[in-house]
Amino acid sequence: MTTERPDREDALAWQTAAERLGLPERLRFGQLLQTWRKGEGRSQVDVARELGISKQLLSAYERGAQVPSLRA
């Protein structure tokens, strides 16, 4: 039996609200990323290090200032 964690529920609730409000996709992505990170109790430094990016770039993603490329 699996239960949804509150951070995932928060992210899904935000996504639904963001879609209803018509927020740009990049703002939705950033907010979901930030909600997940905080729900996991992780710092930007730790997550950025694991992703191989700078803390500044992760911050830009969370703010919606930039979006990651999906290059293979």
Side-chain angles (χ1 to χ4, degrees):
M1 178 174 152
T2 37
T3 58
E4 296 271 318
R5 294 193 337 232
D7 57 296
R8 177 171 279 193
E9 291 172 7
D10 290 345
L12 293 174
W14 168 260
Q15 182 177 16
T16 301
E19 288 170 356
R20 279 196 308 259
L21 293 171
L23 291 177
E25 185 69 33
R26 65 179 155 170
L27 293 179
R28 286 185 258 167
F29 170 77
Q31 187 62 47
L32 288 170
L33 178 62
Q34 185 179 68
T35 299
W36 169 82
R37 179 182 61 75
K38 288 181 175 183
E40 292 290 315
R42 311 272 307 274
S43 72
Q44 284 183 330
V45 172
D46 291 336
V47 172
R49 185 177 300 129
E50 286 186 30
L51 293 174
I53 61 174
S54 69
K55 179 211 170 271
Q56 291 79 9
L57 183 56
L58 180 63
S59 176
Y61 290 163
E62 289 184 355
R63 291 190 322 272
Q66 287 187 303
V67 292
S69 66
L70 299 176
R71 287 181 269 151

